[in-house]
Amino acid sequence: MLRHYVERWPLVTGRSGFVLARYAFIASILVLLGTSLSLLFFRYPAAADPRTLFQSSPPPQDSRDDYDYFNIANASSTAHPIDTLINAAREFHDARLLKRSEDVASAAQRYRERRGRHPPPGFDKWVAYALKKDAIIVEDYFDRIYKDIAPFWALEPKKIALQAAKWSHLVRARGGKVEGVGETAGRVPWLQLWTSLVKDVEEYLPDVDMPINYMDESRLLVPFEDISRYISKEQATRTMPPASQVISDYTGLAEIDKMDKPADPKFTHAPKLYWDFLRATCPPGSPSRDVPAMEEPAMLSQFPHGLPDTYAYKNFIKNFTAATDACLQPHLRSYHASFIEPVSMSTSTELFPLFGGSKLPQNNEILIPGAMYITDHEFYSGGNTHGPPWNQKKDKLIWRGVASGGRNYVGNFHHFQRHRLVEMLNGTTVSRLERNGARAMTFEMPLDSEYDFPRLHERKIGAWLKEFADAGFVGRNCRDNKCDYVDPYFSDLESIPMKEQYTMKFLPDADGNSFSARFRGFMLSTSLPLKGTVYAEWHDDRLVPWLHFAPLDNTFADLYAVLDYFTRDRKGDAAAQMIAEAGKLWGEKVLRREDMALYVFRLLLEFARVCDEARDKLGFVEDLRIK
């Protein structure tokens, strides 16, 4: 049972490593208390070109002369906390790459070691496809699949298969052919995009169905006690029978296809109560479990000062997974629109199969790559233009977007994350706060005791932002299109195409109604993404904060300190360039369309198995028989 509660604890990892899991509060705190602080400090590695970490082509020739972060950091007499986090991220990434598999035998062995089962039938074809597409096979990169699939091992396979096959919108694979099923008139083209992705691997798939969530918001919130029971059952089913007893062919869905549609789960539609549904998924005793939803959203909430040690190192994010976890942060009920009043709510507390592009860590959907990551639309990607080399960029920050995230109106907009980001980057507003010591509608200035940098102590952040930052809404999404209540604080600005935004060095990213669909485009640009989110995505296990992007707290309380580090001197600029270029190079290796298809290929093999009546004996064991 403890494996369900406690996961890995390196200093900095991707989104599912170094995790204070939603199931883990009590046991995890014990682990943290037992962790020596000496692990947080170490000598810088020998000077090295970070490009060698990614086995990819180098950046443009004219950017190489400035690519010297590690040389500068090694020569520096003082280490900033972010320097420590960058080096921890680099070491973690290097260690995982040592576990790369280059053939079926090594991949199957690592699968068994990590999963406690034989791989599913078709695993050899999956490895062959990965190698053909020059994909990086590290078993850790697919952990999200097993967290999502695990509780379904506690349900009857026929029930899962029937629910999946009869859902209103799904991607269906039969006889090596894939089609989208469901009415799409008047809808965004998600079904078409997901169908096109699965078609890339259709010839290798067993008969399987992928029912999709067509809402922005995630829909399943199964209470903690139920999920814990399901996970315990899943652990009890883990076995690796002798090769002679293993079945290598899926049963198929012919019987399921003949059956009638089952009743849909019960859904609740009460957006103002979403937080109360969410906190029921938190472990008993966790900080948020017994904290009810806001009763007076019109009131200003107390702004948190000082990030907790559970996920921060000297007030900078060290544990991105925990930083996204609302179960650990009851203040997020009043600092993120998803928990205040989402645009729509259709939530079930029953576990059933539903696939979606993002979810809160507490949700129970099965993650697939977001549909907008599959499109080539320039609005999300910037097209084929990814920006000039770092030393040709403007030393500025840019953000444009709509005021999405939830239903904003006079009594609640000041709690929304995008409003807070825009107001925090308004130099005029910040200068006023620095003069009079008051708070803004959406935030308070950091205290001198929280961070140590001259712009904060000398009250010069506002003057700096006036020259450095350009952030604003292209649509304020006001109730009934009447914006008088936000007119004193926000105005509508002209949109700026992504390819023009890529001429700036810094690209902050904030959640909208769910995840931000621009993040992949930001990652593949030559600019530095700065990311704060409460949403989990398919790629989280393969991206390392402080090496591939700069993480932010969801309150953005660390925003000024992070930006100050990257802009104060040559070392900070070199660090920003290193992360921007390393993230782009890595994204070109692990965020390609081929990588998304490979992820869904693996996921559907696993889902087909959990839907099969013979699932306990289904597996790939040809590598063992050869031995």
Side-chain angles (χ1 to χ4, degrees), residues 386-406:
H386 301 292
W390 186 262
N391 60 5
Q392 295 178 21
K393 288 180 178 290
K394 299 175 184 176
D395 287 309
K396 290 182 179 293
L397 173 149
I398 182 74
W399 188 89
R400 286 292 186 276
V402 296
S404 58

Side-chain angles (χ1 to χ4, degrees), residues 336 338 360 399 402 404-405 417-418 509-516 531-535 537 554 556:
H336 199 285
S338 294
L360 300 167
W399 188 89
V402 296
S404 58
Q417 68 275 6
R418 288 193 168 189
D509 198 31
D511 294 334
N513 292 339
S514 56
F515 77 110
S516 169
K531 178 76 167 176
T533 185
V534 296
Y535 286 94
E537 297 186 61
N554 277 294
F556 302 125

Side-chain angles (χ1 to χ4, degrees), residues 105-368:
S106 60
Q109 177 182 350
R110 290 188 169 108
Y111 180 104
R112 294 184 181 101
E113 291 171 353
R114 196 164 186 84
R115 312 301 171 197
R117 303 182 189 274
H118 292 303
F123 187 76
D124 54 338
K125 295 182 177 63
W126 180 85
V127 173
Y129 181 87
L131 296 175
K132 178 182 178 181
K133 298 298 182 180
D134 196 28
I136 296 175
I137 306 175
V138 174
E139 187 61 29
D140 307 44
Y141 295 168
F142 301 93
D143 283 351
R144 179 80 262 166
I145 290 174
Y146 299 90
K147 294 172 186 173
D148 292 347
I149 292 288
F152 289 95
W153 283 88
L155 304 184
E156 289 295 324
K158 183 177 291 187
K159 178 182 179 181
I160 306 168
L162 186 60
Q163 288 177 320
K166 307 300 180 179
W167 186 246
S168 59
H169 294 86
L170 64 137
V171 179
R172 173 175 291 160
R174 295 291 187 276
K177 296 296 182 181
V178 165
E179 63 175 343
V181 177
E183 178 57 54
T184 59
R187 291 179 177 269
V188 289
W190 294 356
L191 179 59
Q192 297 93 318
L193 289 166
W194 279 321
T195 301
S196 73
L197 183 67
V198 180
K199 271 185 171 292
D200 290 354
V201 294
E202 64 182 355
E203 63 187 285
Y204 310 111
L205 294 176
D207 289 356
V208 65
D209 295 303
M210 190 175 84
I212 67 168
N213 175 18
Y214 232 123
M215 293 177 60
D216 283 345
E217 298 83 6
S218 35
R219 303 183 66 180
L220 306 182
L221 285 171
V222 182
F224 173 83
E225 290 76 9
D226 293 339
I227 286 293
S228 295
R229 187 173 66 254
Y230 295 153
I231 294 297
S232 295
K233 289 183 178 179
E234 181 270 336
Q235 291 177 333
T237 68
R238 293 188 186 184
T239 182
M240 286 186 282
S244 60
Q245 299 177 17
V246 173
I247 301 171
S248 59
D249 294 319
Y250 294 94
T251 303
L253 297 173
E255 180 183 350
I256 294 295
D257 289 340
K258 297 175 184 177
M259 298 176 70
D260 294 332
K261 174 180 170 63
D264 285 337
K266 178 183 177 182
F267 289 95
T268 299
H269 309 272
K272 293 183 179 180
L273 298 179
Y274 194 82
W275 173 265
D276 288 328
F277 278 81
L278 180 132
R279 66 187 179 91
T281 71
C282 299
S286 61
S288 296
R289 175 64 181 244
D290 298 320
V291 178
M294 281 194 307
E295 294 182 357
E296 298 292 342
M299 300 289 290
L300 297 180
S301 297
Q302 182 177 356
F303 197 74
H305 286 287
L307 305 186
D309 292 341
T310 48
Y311 63 83
Y313 169 58
K314 297 186 177 180
N315 286 321
F316 297 95
I317 300 297
K318 69 178 181 184
N319 179 339
F320 198 51
T321 304
T324 68
D325 191 348
C327 288
L328 301 174
Q329 304 170 73
H331 63 268
L332 286 181
R333 69 180 182 146
S334 57
Y335 281 97
H336 199 285
S338 294
F339 308 130
I340 298 164
E341 190 169 344
V343 171
S344 57
M345 174 182 170
S346 179
T347 297
S348 176
T349 59
E350 175 185 336
L351 181 65
F352 74 99
L354 194 61
F355 293 68
S358 71
K359 66 177 182 178
L360 300 167
Q362 296 75 27
N363 286 124
N364 304 104
E365 280 90 342
I366 299 169
L367 282 177
I368 52 178

Side-chain angles (χ1 to χ4, degrees), residues 54 65-66 76 83 107 125 127 129 136 180 193 233 271 373 387 437 444 452 506 518 534 604 614:
F54 308 105
D65 292 341
D66 296 329
S76 176
D83 296 325
K125 295 182 177 63
V127 173
Y129 181 87
I136 296 175
L193 289 166
K233 289 183 178 179
Y373 289 156
E444 295 176 10
D452 185 15
F506 301 98
R518 293 178 289 185
V534 296
L604 290 178

